[in-house]
Amino acid sequence: MALLEIKNLTVLRESETGQKTLVSAISLHLPPGAKLAICGESGSGKTMLCRALVRLLPRGFRLTGEIRLESGRFSGKIDHADQQVLEFIRGRIIGFVFQDIPASLNPVLKCGRQLSDVIATTQTLSRTELATALEDLLVSVGFENPRRIMDAFPFELSGGMQQRVALAMALAGKPEILIVDEPSTALDAIARRDLIDLLNRRCQETGLSVIIVTHDLLNVHKFADHLLVMYAGEAIESGPAANLIEAPHHPYTQLLTAAWRALLNNQPFSPNAPEFTQNVPGRGCRFVTRCPNRRKVCLEESPPMTVSAGGRCFHCHFPSK
Amino acid sequence: MVESLLSVENLTAGYPCTPGLIGKRQNYRPVISGISFAINPGETVAFVGPSGGGKTSLAMALAGFLKPESGIIRFRGEKLDDQARGAPRKIQLIFQDAGGALNPHLNIGAAIAEACAKNLSKRECLDQVMHFLQMVELSAELIERYPAQLSGGQKQRVCIARALAAKPELLILDEPFSAQDLLIQVQLTDLLRHLKSTQKLTLILIAHDLLTVRSLADRVGIIARGHLIEYEPTAVLFSQPRTALTRALLEAAELDV
């Protein structure tokens, strides 16, 4: 049974000049304890997809399709749920760590105060219980000296520490699903590894499901068991992470893994693919303008979803074997 | 012996801070202290280290945006003092946030033209802009676009083109890759490698990603808590790290998956 089930989720931005599709018809299901990574280039809709899951889309954005939660505390559709339901779900069932960590922490409140506010909204505790809960929470995200962190303002902490405070905040309501949006971009190698280790441990100990948005294939390799690759709003390929990185079918995923391998082996990378272009075609395959193996049919027909062995799915007319 | 392009001796810099009550005498909090190193012409040097260690402040001090408290910065043997700084534009800094560094109301052509020499005719200026766009492998049609219409990697390239238009001898890039996706990272790495060989540029790179550092840098410096704790040729640093921090960084990056 799936904890989170998404069917045909589409996010549109409506303006005077017409509407633009930012995420188009994505379906996925997340079983309890799953670790899903979402990869794709900047602007491909990864963040919008995640924000749609907690219904935190900016003004003027609309979503269609179905988002269904099946948890012990709540089951039902949330794609058009009212504010009351959403308030219950956010933090309690789905926790969210935003991309821009410094902006998601209040600069004028000490970390301890911010965290206890979050704990207090999700649980009814006495003062002493609250203090213990706060300390336990900070220890659980890897702080050895929680009292020091409670007493610190966000700006007094390093990037890695702020990240862990934000993580603690997302975990304060004991959610069953945690969404982490690009956690490692501003972190050094040690802080990156510690974060991934921490998430892995959390998943093992509490059965948490995690959706992680990342550019770093090392994160995917070390953490995720499932990978979804997005391009121009579409899920172009998905499947078990190790298998997908090893043998990608879609030409975009191939470019991505080839680039990563070139870096790993310290070799130059020269793809035989055209440059990035802003123009995503209205019909046909969305990757056609950059695809090295395009043919006539790619310009005219959008490729259907192909399901292959081992739970792999991809959208391409001429996949590589 | 080759004369070094840039040499830094005992550089200390920081930001003023006022502790306690308003109006109290300003105190000085150094973020980099006692940093010394030298860079030869044509070399690429990368500075790596934990966040908050002072890497960006070092870049700011070298580019003249942060006034050193003490220490000497020499460029081609000449001391860079307050007056000389900024004037020759021989040192160009590309900021971490490429999007934020571009004026949103100025199209790409105008942004690059601003950095070109001032005494050019309109025609010559356009030629120059085209030349620099080509150098960073951007198509000429971008000239009329605005920053909002470009991808992150393209904005980063525009910033590089703009810096090149000032004809620098030393280019400092502050975390050029951290906000980019993997493909763009790799393409930018290739571009920098190419520019390094064709333009005889000296590069200072501030980065977190050790894979790109390994593929691009000739020398690597590790900066932690404001000190330069290690400064070695890349191959030496990656094979025989001396300090515990360097070892930990290399181990965490898992360079051999």
Side-chain angles (χ1 to χ4, degrees):
Chain A
M1 196 188 69
L3 178 60
L4 175 75
E5 177 106 46
I6 304 167
K7 278 187 197 146
N8 276 326
L9 182 72
T10 300
V11 177
L12 305 155
R13 185 181 65 202
E14 280 167 344
S15 64
E16 299 118 36
T17 49
Q19 63 179 29
K20 195 177 173 212
T21 311
L22 296 158
V23 173
S24 81
I26 288 189
S27 301
L28 63 88
H29 81 131
L30 194 73
K35 296 186 271 187
L36 168 73
I38 304 179
C39 278
E41 60 187 25
S42 334
S44 61
K46 307 182 295 287
T47 298
M48 278 304 147
L49 171 65
C50 292
R51 291 180 65 156
L53 299 181
V54 279
R55 297 274 312 280
L56 279 177
L57 292 173
R59 198 178 288 264
F61 286 59
R62 197 163 60 82
L63 73 89
T64 63
E66 198 180 298
I67 308 170
R68 182 179 283 281
L69 274 177
E70 287 296 340
S71 103
R73 288 180 282 173
F74 178 89
S75 80
K77 276 164 53 163
I78 56 164
D79 45 84
H80 286 90
D82 55 25
Q83 204 57 31
Q84 213 182 343
V85 174
L86 291 177
E87 266 167 29
F88 177 77
I89 286 161
R90 291 178 193 150
R92 288 185 183 85
I93 296 178
I94 307 180
F96 207 115
V97 182
F98 291 90
Q99 195 168 354
D100 188 358
I101 300 289
S104 65
L105 298 173
N106 188 333
V108 296
L109 287 183
K110 286 184 176 170
C111 293
R113 167 74 198 282
Q114 300 190 44
L115 283 166
S116 49
D117 279 354
V118 181
I119 300 174
T121 49
T122 50
Q123 294 159 61
T124 329
L125 298 173
S126 73
R127 258 181 109 132
T128 43
E129 283 171 333
L130 187 65
T132 342
L134 180 57
E135 231 166 277
D136 290 348
L137 182 64
L138 284 169
V139 170
S140 78
V141 293
F143 286 116
E144 278 160 18
N145 189 354
R147 296 218 165 256
R148 210 200 111 213
I149 305 301
M150 286 189 234
D151 238 10
F153 287 102
F155 68 84
E156 293 177 285
L157 305 176
S158 73
M161 286 160 117
Q162 287 183 12
Q163 184 106 43
R164 276 186 278 162
V165 171
L167 189 65
M169 203 169 274
L171 291 171
K174 303 204 168 87
E176 290 160 59
I177 302 169
L178 180 72
I179 301 175
V180 195
D181 194 0
E182 294 199 20
S184 63
T185 45
L187 301 181
D188 60 76
I190 298 171
R192 279 183 202 196
R193 185 205 42 200
D194 290 350
L195 181 79
I196 292 297
D197 287 353
L198 178 67
L199 286 174
N200 258 327
R201 213 166 48 235
R202 257 333 260 219
C203 290
Q204 237 165 38
E205 284 166 8
T206 62
L208 182 74
S209 301
V210 176
I211 300 178
I212 181 171
V213 175
T214 183
H215 285 312
D216 190 350
L217 285 182
L218 180 64
N219 283 346
V220 178
H221 189 87
K222 280 181 63 186
F223 177 72
D225 41 40
H226 208 82
L227 173 63
L228 176 80
V229 184
M230 288 184 71
Y231 184 83
E234 274 178 2
I236 51 160
E237 185 159 12
S238 67
N243 189 283
L244 207 158
I245 294 180
E246 203 55 50
H249 290 317
H250 195 283
Y252 175 71
T253 324
Q254 274 177 346
L255 270 179
L256 210 60
T257 51
W260 187 52
R261 287 198 197 292
L263 266 184
L264 275 179
N265 301 328
N266 202 4
Q267 285 163 347
F269 174 68
S270 39
N272 59 343
E275 250 291 287
F276 172 90
T277 139
Q278 199 77 28
N279 310 323
V280 174
R283 61 179 194 149
C285 172
R286 294 175 86 82
F287 188 60
V288 69
T289 44
R290 290 173 71 188
C291 187
N293 349 328
R294 66 179 161 215
R295 292 186 214 166
K296 196 160 165 254
V297 59
C298 305
L299 288 164
E300 283 148 12
E301 283 170 41
S302 134
M305 185 174 84
T306 317
V307 181
S308 74
R312 299 271 302 266
C313 297
F314 56 92
H315 289 262
C316 185
H317 288 297
F318 305 104
S320 316
K321 293 289 177 286
Chain B
M1 205 190 113
V2 201
E3 195 199 25
S4 48
L5 182 74
L6 182 84
S7 73
V8 175
E9 283 162 44
N10 233 341
L11 181 72
T12 297
Y15 303 94
C17 59
T18 316
L21 296 168
I22 300 165
K24 212 171 169 185
R25 220 181 117 251
Q26 281 206 326
N27 269 20
Y28 199 75
R29 192 169 71 92
V31 269
I32 45 175
S33 51
I35 288 189
S36 305
F37 64 91
I39 298 175
N40 295 329
E43 240 184 353
T44 297
V45 172
F47 288 108
V48 182
S51 38
K55 302 187 295 295
T56 298
S57 300
L58 174 64
M60 297 287 238
L62 296 181
F65 292 112
L66 178 65
K67 198 174 165 231
E69 176 73 358
S70 64
I72 303 167
I73 303 172
R74 280 203 176 86
F75 189 73
R76 290 207 174 280
E78 269 176 59
K79 213 169 136 185
L80 277 188
D81 54 30
D82 293 340
Q83 282 172 341
R85 199 167 293 146
R89 304 202 296 179
K90 292 292 176 210
I91 303 177
Q92 284 287 320
L93 170 66
I94 294 172
F95 291 92
Q96 205 161 348
D97 175 16
L102 290 170
N103 183 340
H105 304 294
L106 218 52
N107 68 26
I108 303 309
I112 298 173
E114 269 201 327
C116 292
K118 290 283 173 275
N119 51 1
L120 299 174
S121 72
K122 234 178 170 174
R123 182 76 242 163
E124 284 169 330
C125 190
L126 187 67
D127 285 347
Q128 285 278 304
V129 171
M130 289 298 186
H131 169 71
F132 288 114
L133 276 179
Q134 205 179 20
M135 204 182 270
V136 296
E137 294 160 14
L138 284 175
S139 77
E141 61 193 62
L142 294 184
I143 205 160
E144 302 223 311
R145 299 255 189 97
Y146 288 87
Q149 294 166 299
L150 304 185
S151 75
Q154 285 173 322
K155 280 185 229 170
Q156 192 70 260
R157 277 166 200 244
V158 171
C159 284
I160 297 177
R162 186 175 60 173
L164 291 175
K167 304 255 165 68
E169 287 176 58
L170 174 68
L171 196 60
I172 308 173
L173 296 112
D174 189 4
E175 296 200 17
F177 310 114
S178 62
Q180 313 295 351
D181 62 63
L182 187 71
L183 265 182
I184 295 174
Q185 266 181 38
V186 177
Q187 284 165 348
L188 276 176
T189 313
D190 277 358
L191 173 70
L192 290 176
R193 198 181 287 123
H194 177 72
L195 286 175
K196 193 172 115 180
S197 62
T198 57
Q199 306 298 314
K200 309 242 176 324
L201 267 179
T202 308
L203 297 176
I204 293 181
L205 190 72
I206 289 169
H208 276 313
D209 189 45
L210 290 168
L211 286 174
T212 26
V213 166
R214 185 179 62 177
S215 80
L216 208 56
D218 304 312
R219 254 199 272 198
V220 183
I222 307 281
I223 294 184
R225 296 176 181 221
H227 296 275
L228 184 63
I229 58 168
E230 215 163 330
Y231 188 63
E232 298 284 351
T234 310
V236 175
L237 187 120
F238 275 77
S239 58
Q240 303 148 23
R242 277 190 293 114
T243 58
L245 176 73
T246 314
R247 273 195 293 277
L249 275 169
L250 291 176
E251 200 185 286
E254 295 193 31
L255 299 165
D256 40 354
V257 176

